[in-house]
Amino acid sequence: MKKAIVTGHSKGLGAGIAAALLEGGYNVLGLSRSALPGFESGLEQVALDLGDTAALSHWLESDELADFLEHAESAVLVNNAGIVEPIAPLGRQGASAIARAVTVNVSAALILADAFVAATESVADRRLVHISSGAGRHAYTGWSVYCATKAALDHHVRGVADDGIAGLKVESLAPGVIDTGMQATIRSTPEEDFALRERFVGLKESGALGDPETVGAKIAAHVTGPKFGAELVTDIREL
């Protein structure tokens, strides 16, 4: 039986990835603050705020993740959930916004990765993918927090790969610029906080943003395909 966990599965890129995995015959466990409508067979959903470490820890203690992964012949964890805020230069970011970004983008992903590996010791084919960003590899004005959190995911897979865990393939994958709610947030940011705002407005107006369903399907195909993990830090546009 093929099983996958997808965080932030209820909209945008996460919904595209979840849909493609379901179509590929995976049972999917979606973790998000809201439910994904329109899917029934093969999809289980848990309402969970990944910005709340206590809530995530409590859920993991319930063994629901381990129960879902029981009897899996292959298992995938897609750490897709993420937030771009705060968008502002240093000094105007705010303690709570910084803490939430680090919690959602980094802490939750690493906690789930640890729990996933612990729950799949007997699974011969297990795969962990962090949905990263080009911002983790190139700095952008106003995005210092987002850049730092995505760089952390890139470096996490390098360290995990050095652990040499049996049966585990890992990758930190940048999806490109996708037409999601995150992009809407970016475009609504005042230019004084994000000097590149007009560039992203232009991407929307010119139709240059990727479609979440199309990109999600491409990511799902790569994550479940034979080349996954050959390179640790990748970009879907180059695969």
Side-chain angles (χ1 to χ4, degrees), residues 12-101:
L13 183 61
I17 295 170
L21 288 169
L22 287 164
E23 188 173 340
Y26 278 79
N27 286 352
V28 174
L29 175 63
L31 307 180
S32 181
R33 287 183 293 175
S34 56
L36 173 65
F39 287 102
E40 296 181 6
S41 179
L43 175 65
E44 298 179 31
Q45 304 187 77
V46 174
L48 189 62
D49 182 359
L50 295 175
D52 186 339
T53 302
L56 175 57
S57 298
H58 180 72
W59 178 73
L60 289 172
E61 289 170 0
S62 74
D63 290 330
E64 191 171 346
L65 178 68
D67 291 343
F68 172 77
L69 291 167
E70 191 174 8
H71 306 306
E73 296 172 0
S74 62
V76 176
L77 170 61
V78 183
N79 276 319
N80 164 75
I83 54 177
V84 69
E85 303 98 324
I87 304 175
L90 199 63
R92 293 211 304 269
Q93 295 169 347
S96 61
I98 294 169
R100 181 166 180 80

Side-chain angles (χ1 to χ4, degrees), residues 3 9 38 56 91-93 105 147 159 182 185 189 194 213 235:
K3 299 191 177 185
H9 76 291
L56 175 57
R92 293 211 304 269
Q93 295 169 347
N105 295 358
C147 290
M182 183 179 291
T185 298
T189 302
F194 186 50
E213 291 185 4
D235 189 313

Side-chain angles (χ1 to χ4, degrees), residues 150-165:
K150 291 303 183 179
L153 297 182
D154 289 353
H155 213 47
H156 181 251
V157 299
R158 296 184 181 106
V160 171
D162 284 346
D163 289 337
I165 299 169

Side-chain angles (χ1 to χ4, degrees), residues 13 17 78-80 128-138 140 143 146 150-151 153-154 157-158 170-178 215-216 218-220 222-223 228 231-239:
L13 183 61
I17 295 170
V78 183
N79 276 319
N80 164 75
L128 162 66
V129 58
H130 295 319
I131 301 302
S132 183
S133 171
R137 300 150 203 185
H138 306 282
Y140 288 85
W143 282 9
Y146 186 66
K150 291 303 183 179
L153 297 182
D154 289 353
V157 299
R158 296 184 181 106
V170 296
E171 196 169 303
S172 191
L173 175 63
V177 187
I178 316 298
V215 178
K218 188 173 182 180
I219 288 173
H222 173 66
V223 170
F228 178 78
E231 299 289 337
L232 296 177
V233 178
T234 57
D235 189 313
I236 196 66
R237 295 166 295 185
E238 299 173 357
L239 298 174

Side-chain angles (χ1 to χ4, degrees), residues 97-124:
I98 294 169
R100 181 166 180 80
V102 173
T103 302
V104 173
N105 295 358
V106 183
S107 298
L110 271 56
I111 289 168
L112 284 167
D114 181 67
F116 172 77
V117 169
T120 56
E121 287 184 328
S122 62
V123 180

